[in-house]
């Protein structure tokens, strides 16, 4: 492996192997851009070599990159720059790359690579938390794909039969990195407002956020997501005032269709989101009725402290990590204490238990976690049975964690009726159809979810669902391919491990099934 892949790639990108450390290596580059390109090529090469290798026998690297001062002594290097790189490598995913904020600042705009902000991380033996970015290497949308096609060779997704839009992450103009979650939350709510229009096709948040922190080409975004329109903008929060600036662009021509700036007091933040949403709708099609996207004059909460905790919890859930899950649940409890009638916080708490079960992160006994998931889901539904996200999150918690499948299916169906663009409701609805034995309906929902959210980092969940669906339909080889694809994305995802073991067993590959 070293002679055929590792060493040649380092040499090609002008790197120097300082030393080998048993199962790892310390490498120095004169350019952080060279370092990143080398890392990406190594990980892509490893992914290709692992295609036909059983999960338990694969060799997968973690790579960490940092820019900093070092001390050179004979055949070694030392210093904080090295220490930070080592600690960032330790928190990278298997087969993945993580980089420091210092590295990200120097790389941004110089490479055609997407980054995901994982927020400030407390690293072992490093005094201050460090902001870390995850590199997106292989967004997989079909089992045959093992590398991300370049924009020149990738086939554009076909346009839906109605106006389609993607809302890109808004730039945080507050000057405070800690306000990043607030800017992200504003975008999420604008996406939610737009998606409730049955006359629009709206790309889900998880796909548009793969462009976060990158210099984007709007035409390329339209090409990759299959949308006619792109909304981009910025958020500035200072004290009790918020300013949102936005511009709507025709992705095919690059023409600006609309641009405006909105100012508001923090207490009126939900009205501000509605104004942005309505202006975008008006620019796309004056014939669209306001009633379709009207938030029914309902604010999710009157308590802005509760809303703030909710946004922080949501950001933690999206990190897909055990400690982040624990933190998310703590934050939902704080939101609930601030506003005991804030339905979304209860539903998000129930969603935390879904994530715990899927990754085997349980902390309490099974009975305790089931009881708490049921309590949170039930309370969310008591407070609001008209919010699609509440219905989807609470419904799936009842189906998956608690085992109340029929009710979960009914709730998912109602969520889709209220918001046909809610990718979460689609992919969890697919799972509930599987539990009820309706394979064709499950595949249909998974495919819609994939189209609404083509670049989602959680695509492994949909791929795993497709694996189960094809397995139950007797298409064992196709099921095995989907399960393998999902595990390349998330090697620790238990449902994918289970179904791949079943596929091997049914194919007579008993030893491989045992290993998994």
């Amino acid at each position: 492996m070293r002679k055929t892949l590792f060493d040649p790639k380092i040499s090609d990108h002008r790197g120097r192997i300082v030393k080998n450390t048993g199962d790892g290596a310390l490498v120095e580059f004169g350019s952080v851009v060279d370092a990143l390109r080398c890392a990406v090529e190594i990980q892509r090469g490893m992914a290709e070599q692992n295609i036909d290798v059983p999960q338990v026998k694969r060799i997968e690297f973690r790579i960490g990159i940092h820019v900093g001062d070092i001390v050179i002594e004979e055949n070694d290097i030392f210093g904080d720059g090295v220490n930070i790189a080592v600690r960032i490598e330790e928190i990278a995913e298997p087969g993945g790359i993580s980089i420091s904020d210092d590295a990200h600042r120097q790389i941004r705009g110089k490479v055609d690579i997407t980054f995901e902000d994982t927020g400030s991380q407390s690293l072992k033996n490093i005094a201050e938390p460090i902001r870390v970015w995850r590199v997106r290497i292989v967004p997989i949308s079909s089992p045959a794909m093992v590398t991300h096609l370049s924009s020149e060779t990738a086939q554009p997704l076909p346009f839906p039969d109605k106006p389609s839009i993607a809302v890109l992450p808004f730039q945080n103009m507050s000057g405070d990195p800690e306000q990043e979650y607030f800017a992200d939350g504003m975008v999420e709510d604008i996406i939610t407002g737009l998606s409730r229009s049955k006359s629009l096709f709206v790309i889900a948040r998880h796909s548009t956020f793969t462009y976060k922190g990158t210099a984007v080409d709007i035409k390329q975004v339209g090409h990759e997501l299959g949308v006619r329109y792109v909304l981009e903008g910025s958020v500035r929060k200072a004290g009790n005032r918020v300013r949102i600036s936005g511009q709507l662009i025709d992705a095919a021509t690059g023409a600006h269709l609309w641009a405006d700036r909105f100012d508001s007091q923090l207490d009126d933040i939900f009205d501000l989101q509605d104004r942005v949403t309505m202006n975008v709708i008006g620019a796309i099609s004056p014939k669209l009725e306001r009633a379709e996207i009207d938030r029914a004059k309902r604010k999710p909460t009157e308590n802005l402290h509760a809303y703030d905790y909710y946004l922080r919890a949501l950001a933690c859930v999206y990190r897909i990590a055990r400690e982040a899950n624990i933190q998310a649940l703590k934050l939902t409890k704080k939101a609930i204490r601030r506003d005991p009638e804030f339905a979304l916080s209860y539903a998000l708490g129930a969603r935390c238990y879904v994530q715990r079960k899927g990754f085997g992160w349980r902390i309490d006994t099974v009975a305790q976690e089931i009881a708490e998931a049921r309590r949170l889901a039930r309370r969310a539904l008591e407070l609001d049975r008209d919010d699609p996200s509440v219905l989807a999150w609470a419904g799936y918690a009842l189906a998956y964690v608690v085992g109340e499948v029929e009710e979960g299916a009914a709730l998912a169906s109602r969520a889709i009726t209220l918001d046909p663009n809610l990718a979460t409701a689609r992919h969890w609805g697919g799972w509930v159809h599987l539990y009820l034995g309706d394979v064709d309906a499950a595949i249909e929902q998974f495919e819609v979810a994939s189209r609404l959210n083509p670049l989602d980092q959680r695509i492994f969940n949909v791929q795993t669902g497709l694996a189960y669906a094809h397995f139950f339909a007797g298409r064992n080889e196709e099921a095995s391919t989907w399960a393998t694809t999902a595990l390349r994305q998330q090697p620790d995802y238990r449902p994918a491990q289970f179904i791949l073991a079943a596929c091997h067993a049914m194919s007579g590959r008993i030893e491989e099934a045992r290993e998994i």
Side-chain angles (χ1 to χ4, degrees), residues 380-398:
L381 294 167
E382 286 174 10
L383 293 168
D384 194 342
R385 297 186 73 92
D386 293 315
D387 186 310
S389 292
V390 168
L391 294 168
W393 297 351
Y396 192 60
L398 290 175

Side-chain angles (χ1 to χ4, degrees), residues 120-276:
S120 294
Q121 303 289 327
S122 296
L123 304 178
K124 185 178 179 180
N125 297 331
I126 304 298
E128 298 294 330
I130 290 178
R131 189 177 182 184
V132 176
W133 298 77
R134 183 182 297 141
V135 180
R136 276 192 64 90
I137 305 172
V138 190
I140 300 172
S141 59
S142 72
M145 290 177 65
V146 294
T147 57
H148 186 28
L149 297 175
S150 70
S151 58
E152 289 78 14
T153 60
Q155 292 297 311
L157 291 169
F159 286 138
D161 58 359
K162 52 187 174 182
S164 50
I165 185 170
V167 184
L168 295 181
F170 281 16
Q171 187 176 359
N172 171 26
M173 301 294 290
S174 303
D176 179 6
E178 290 298 316
Q179 289 297 325
E180 202 74 28
Y181 76 93
F182 185 84
D184 293 348
M186 294 302 95
V187 174
E188 176 131 356
D189 279 349
I190 289 168
I191 291 173
T192 299
L194 289 170
S195 73
R196 289 179 181 171
S197 169
K198 295 179 176 62
S199 301
L200 279 179
F201 183 93
V202 185
I203 294 293
R205 178 249 196 225
H206 287 85
S207 285
T208 61
F209 269 62
T210 62
Y211 298 97
K212 185 177 174 67
T214 64
V216 298
D217 180 326
I218 296 298
K219 292 183 180 180
Q220 182 179 335
V221 171
H223 175 98
E224 292 178 348
L225 296 178
V227 294
R228 297 180 187 275
Y229 306 103
V230 174
L231 177 65
E232 62 178 9
S234 63
V235 176
R236 184 186 298 275
K237 177 172 175 277
N240 197 43
R241 294 200 61 79
V242 181
R243 168 176 291 176
I244 295 180
S245 299
Q247 53 185 356
L248 184 68
I249 303 166
D250 185 315
T253 66
H256 285 63
L257 305 178
W258 162 85
D260 208 343
R261 187 176 70 192
F262 304 87
D263 292 294
S264 174
Q265 297 290 326
L266 191 58
D267 293 344
D268 296 323
I269 189 63
F270 305 114
D271 293 331
L272 179 62
Q273 294 163 2
D274 284 343
R275 285 160 56 200
V276 175

Side-chain angles (χ1 to χ4, degrees), residues 181-182 184-186 188-189 192 270 273 295 300-301 303-318 327-336 338-339 342-349 351 387 389-390 393:
Y181 76 93
F182 185 84
D184 293 348
M186 294 302 95
E188 176 131 356
D189 279 349
T192 299
F270 305 114
Q273 294 163 2
R295 299 162 72 95
T301 176
N303 188 308
L304 270 299
H305 291 293
Y307 183 60
D308 188 84
Y309 284 130
Y310 164 78
L311 291 181
R312 290 177 186 267
L314 196 61
C316 287
V317 168
Y318 289 152
Q327 183 65 16
L329 202 52
K330 290 178 180 177
L331 288 164
T332 61
K333 291 177 180 177
K334 288 184 178 181
I336 290 167
R338 288 282 186 170
D339 183 355
F342 186 9
L344 271 172
S345 283
Y346 290 94
L348 185 58
R351 183 176 174 180
D387 186 310
S389 292
V390 168
W393 297 351

Side-chain angles (χ1 to χ4, degrees), residues 2 7 12 49 68 71 74 80 102 134 147 154 158 165 180 188 197 255 268 295 439 479:
R2 277 196 53 194
D7 292 357
D12 290 346
Q49 294 189 32
V71 177
E74 295 184 0
D80 287 344
D102 290 335
R134 183 182 297 141
T147 57
I165 185 170
E180 202 74 28
E188 176 131 356
S197 169
D268 296 323
R295 299 162 72 95
V439 171

